[in-house]
Amino acid sequence: MARSKKKVGAYPSGMILFSLTLALFLIGFCGMLAIQSKKLVTYIRENYEMRAFLDKDLSEKKLTKLSKTIAERPYILKVNGTPQLNFVPKDVAAKEFIAETKEDFSKFLGENPLRDSYRIKLTEEYFEEAKLQQVKQDLEELDGIFEVVYQENLVDNINRNITKIYVVMSAFALILLLIIVVLMNNTIRLALHSQRMLIRSMQLVGATNGFITRPFLGRGMWQGLLAGVIAVILLLVGLQLAVHNLPEMATFQDVEKTAMLLGGIVGLGVLVGFLSTFQAVNRYLGLTLDELY
């Protein structure tokens, strides 16, 4: 029975496809974690409240004027054009305090010592100590504001921990990318090992390097594209399952960045398939006959 002829560019590809799909999935998973983390950080920062306590016995006219003045400040967070500025009367503040502490201070004080206040949410770029101090100083200069307070230690801790998380994730992503490049080069080189004699035979009959390389590169790019598409499908399925089981995650979705990430995964698959195949084929093109054996 005659053996089937080998075709240029035809080599075992199952392991390559599996390895590249797994690698791209891991990169995409890290990317999605980064996107979710960024949205979570933004959510935490934009929901942090600074409190501005007011002078006592302000008239409705002064309160209205003060509210408009604060709302016009550039550091005030706006959601759909609405300034995130919440007026809290002292009676409401007293009820909240009693509910938290389980102690009714009005029984032994005879009056409510608390003040009316505004709870203010700031834009994310002002969530750092120096800028918060500037905001505090600016607000306290307004007529009608008694004092502005915020939890300084909490802000420092949040920013410090966020920086650590970003450093760890960046280092992990770089290490993972390096491992993937080495893995794919070795996997494709081993797969092309079965084609080394065919490559040599074509060189002997006068085929140019470009003619020999072309079908391998086409196959490598096709494998990269297919692996990228499979990885994207797996990521989307995983994301939908996560949102289904944790509906709160829907708040932290960024459709635009997620689409860019998934497109980048497919493009990276094609690029890795092309470069790894190009490097592996060129290696065999440059070997002598003795080295081929």
Side-chain angles (χ1 to χ4, degrees):
M1 183 177 179
R3 293 191 305 173
S4 59
K5 294 182 179 180
K6 288 184 178 180
K7 184 179 178 181
V8 178
Y11 53 86
S13 58
M15 183 57 67
I16 293 177
L17 186 62
F18 175 78
S19 300
L20 186 53
T21 299
L22 180 60
L24 293 174
F25 176 81
L26 290 175
I27 291 178
F29 182 74
C30 289
M32 283 193 167
L33 279 181
I35 292 174
Q36 301 294 326
S37 299
K38 181 64 174 65
K39 291 289 289 185
L40 177 59
V41 167
T42 299
Y43 178 82
I44 292 173
R45 287 174 169 175
E46 291 185 347
N47 280 274
Y48 179 80
E49 291 183 335
M50 177 178 279
R51 298 194 178 188
F53 294 98
L54 309 181
D55 293 336
K56 293 184 177 181
D57 302 322
L58 288 179
S59 64
E60 288 294 329
K61 185 177 180 180
K62 286 186 176 181
L63 280 175
T64 301
K65 181 180 179 181
L66 181 60
S67 177
K68 290 181 178 179
T69 302
I70 296 175
E72 291 173 354
R73 289 297 196 265
Y75 44 75
I76 301 298
L77 176 67
K78 294 180 176 61
V79 178
N80 298 323
T82 303
Q84 299 303 290
L85 183 66
N86 184 29
F87 177 72
V88 181
K90 62 180 182 180
D91 294 337
V92 174
K95 290 179 181 179
E96 291 179 353
F97 181 85
I98 294 171
E100 291 177 0
T101 62
K102 307 300 181 183
E103 295 181 2
D104 189 353
F105 56 83
S106 62
K107 291 182 179 179
F108 55 86
L109 290 180
E111 62 176 355
N112 182 1
L114 302 180
R115 295 173 179 265
D116 296 335
S117 65
Y118 282 112
R119 294 179 182 175
I120 303 168
K121 294 182 180 179
L122 308 178
T123 57
E124 184 180 6
E125 55 266 26
Y126 282 88
F127 196 82
E128 58 182 65
E129 186 59 34
K131 291 184 177 180
L132 286 173
Q133 283 290 342
Q134 293 175 3
V135 171
K136 172 181 168 68
Q137 182 179 357
D138 180 66
L139 289 174
E140 287 181 340
E141 291 176 354
L142 296 178
D143 183 31
I145 291 186
F146 174 75
E147 183 183 19
V148 176
V149 298
Y150 65 93
Q151 294 177 292
E152 298 182 16
N153 292 334
L154 178 61
V155 172
D156 287 338
N157 289 334
I158 291 175
N159 285 330
R160 194 179 303 114
N161 291 330
I162 288 171
T163 301
K164 290 180 181 179
I165 292 172
Y166 281 154
V167 169
V168 171
M169 290 187 66
S170 298
F172 180 73
L174 288 175
I175 293 172
L176 181 60
L177 185 60
L178 179 61
I179 292 173
I180 287 169
V181 171
V182 174
L183 174 65
M184 291 312 305
N185 276 333
N186 290 336
T187 303
I188 292 179
R189 187 172 64 187
L190 289 174
L192 288 173
H193 185 74
S194 63
Q195 295 276 296
R196 69 192 189 285
M197 301 308 297
L198 182 57
I199 292 174
R200 181 63 176 175
S201 298
M202 294 186 69
Q203 283 182 309
L204 293 175
V205 297
T208 63
N209 288 350
F211 180 84
I212 298 173
T213 305
R214 194 176 300 116
F216 289 104
L217 293 180
R219 187 177 181 87
M221 293 173 67
W222 168 250
Q223 288 173 337
L225 176 63
L226 185 58
V229 171
I230 295 174
V232 165
I233 292 174
L234 292 176
L235 287 169
L236 288 175
V237 170
L239 182 61
Q240 291 302 315
L241 287 175
V243 172
H244 177 73
N245 289 285
L246 295 172
E248 297 82 4
M249 286 188 63
T251 307
F252 308 121
Q253 300 304 307
D254 191 322
V255 177
E256 182 179 351
K257 289 184 179 179
T258 301
M260 291 174 62
L261 172 66
L262 297 180
I265 292 298
V266 176
L268 181 62
V270 175
L271 181 63
V272 170
F274 174 84
L275 293 178
S276 297
T277 303
F278 182 79
Q279 188 271 341
V281 173
N282 277 348
R283 179 180 181 276
Y284 285 113
L285 287 174
L287 295 179
T288 65
L289 186 60
D290 290 336
E291 291 172 330
L292 287 173
Y293 284 100

